[in-house]
Amino acid sequence: MSVFAEVPQAVPVAVFKLTADFREDKDPNKVNLGVGAYRTDEGQPWVLPVVKKVERMIVEDDSLNHEYLPILGLPEFRSSASKIALGEDSPAIQENRVGGVQCLGGTGALKIGAEFLRRWYNGNNNTATPVYVSAPTWENHNAVFGDAGFKDVRPYKYWDAEKRGLDLTGFLDDLESAPEGSIFVLHACAHNPTGTDPTQQEWVQIAEVMMRRGLFPFFDSAYQGFASGSLEKDAWAVRYFVSQGFEMFCAQSFSKNFGLYNERVGNLTIVAKDNENLTRILSQMEKIVRTTWSNPPSQGARLVAITLNTPGLFEEWKDNVKTMADRVLLMRAQLKAKLQALGTPGTWDHITEQIGMFSFTGLNPQQVQYLVKEKHIYLMASGRINMCGLTTKNIDYVAESIHEAVTSVQ
């Protein structure tokens, strides 16, 4: 008998199972609206032109080697990543109370942040602190904090299914009723999976309650620049919270806005009360990283750092990011227009009111199954679609199929 005989078969990760099913499908009209990665209008991955340019620079730089990076990562990457999140002129940066930890993607940043908070937030090894995640949220949020040892991971109200928008009243009510000191995981922009963000005025209300109630903000910033095409607009909430005096964490990913999905480039930005606090926090972060991956990889981080710190490359990168954001916005407008032209029952304004890679369509599980089984259009059971999977060649087919699903399946 094997010592592993009692290991159960794990349930496949839903989005990757969806992609596997898509690949096996032989239908010529098949469409993948599941996986969260950018695609061109030809349905292909896009290597950003600025990324290709910097990769050549790295290859030709004979001064570079493959020595270990410091445990906390490449210093010029960490500092430039935090500046992107908080702004070059951030008072917190000028006061030397901001630090960064290079991580393996945004997931790694969430993981290191969660591990630190479980060990040291509001005392030593405080596993009972409630952690709130939005309902719905990216599926990894629950797992990351649960695996870190937090025993009380709760949902907070976010999505109003009836109006297909933000449930601000419910959100604020949950903030008001949360135990003091609770941790709230907030999506900085392009909320996953709904694509629905608070307005700036609504963020002001959220921040006011969180400050008054002594709640800790942990931002997840996976789409800065990619959502609206503007780095400043997509970072507004994070920067506002810093301006209000919060201590906070911000997990950053450069997968989407640099197209570096397989390089796993992430950063955990820490905003502390003062430099003395920051120094102690980073010393403990270093201990956690040492036993997790010991030292981070250099290629992706070096690529991002060179781009962000070279004015000409930085401007080129912003243009590349805007190209991606504009294509997503165009697909939103076209899908909404086509559904309205078809007379598809219900309102579809939410498609253009939402932002970022994903749209929460409002399709029910039965309609989703119809699209997958009958029309070979692959999307998440929640009705979430990746707008990048739409192209000028398949958008008519997708719109007609959605119309068919809505009108024939209740």
Side-chain angles (χ1 to χ4, degrees), residues 192-315:
N192 181 3
T194 70
T196 296
D197 291 346
T199 64
Q200 291 183 5
Q201 184 179 3
E202 289 167 343
W203 275 122
V204 169
Q205 294 177 261
I206 291 163
E208 186 278 321
V209 178
M210 291 191 70
M211 177 60 75
R212 176 164 47 78
R213 299 280 302 114
L215 307 174
F216 184 84
F218 193 150
F219 278 99
D220 186 354
S221 180
Y223 303 96
Q224 187 181 355
F226 187 94
S228 68
S230 165
L231 293 173
E232 291 71 28
K233 185 176 181 181
D234 292 347
W236 191 91
V238 175
R239 296 177 185 183
Y240 180 76
F241 271 65
V242 174
S243 76
Q244 297 304 295
F246 282 92
E247 290 185 280
M248 52 181 262
F249 287 175
C250 180
Q252 297 168 265
S253 169
F254 293 91
S255 294
K256 308 296 190 301
N257 56 17
F258 267 84
L260 294 174
Y261 301 98
N262 65 3
E263 292 287 355
R264 310 309 299 134
V265 187
N267 187 63
L268 177 64
T269 288
I270 299 129
V271 181
K273 186 176 181 62
D274 50 42
N275 179 258
E276 190 267 336
N277 271 279
L278 176 67
T279 301
R280 288 186 287 102
I281 291 168
L282 289 175
S283 75
Q284 293 296 336
M285 292 280 189
E286 191 171 72
K287 297 289 187 184
I288 297 168
V289 171
R290 177 62 175 155
T291 60
T292 308
W293 51 68
S294 188
N295 307 77
S298 70
Q299 176 77 2
R302 199 179 301 281
L303 196 157
V304 171
I306 291 171
T307 303
L308 297 184
N309 287 299
T310 308
L313 295 172
F314 181 57
E315 292 303 318

Side-chain angles (χ1 to χ4, degrees), residues 323-346:
T323 295
M324 294 189 287
D326 286 348
R327 193 182 101 68
V328 173
L329 292 170
L330 178 64
M331 289 299 100
R332 286 186 178 280
Q334 290 191 1
L335 180 61
K336 173 186 167 181
K338 290 179 184 298
L339 289 171
Q340 289 178 335
L342 289 166
T344 309

Side-chain angles (χ1 to χ4, degrees), residues 69-118:
L69 291 184
I71 292 174
L72 293 182
L74 190 69
E76 55 267 39
F77 165 74
R78 294 162 52 207
S79 61
S80 58
S82 293
K83 286 178 183 175
I84 284 291
L86 306 187
E88 189 90 32
D89 57 351
S90 171
I93 293 177
Q94 294 170 3
E95 293 160 8
N96 200 22
R97 55 187 182 90
V98 174
V101 180
Q102 182 187 331
C103 298
L104 301 190
T107 303
L110 288 163
K111 177 68 171 175
I112 296 300
E115 292 286 345
F116 174 86
L117 292 172
R118 194 266 297 165

Side-chain angles (χ1 to χ4, degrees), residues 15 81 88 111 117 170-171 175 186 189 214 299 305 357 363 383 400:
V15 69
E88 189 90 32
K111 177 68 171 175
L117 292 172
F171 189 171
L175 290 172
L186 307 170
C189 66
Q299 176 77 2
M357 180 174 285
L363 296 170
E400 290 161 5

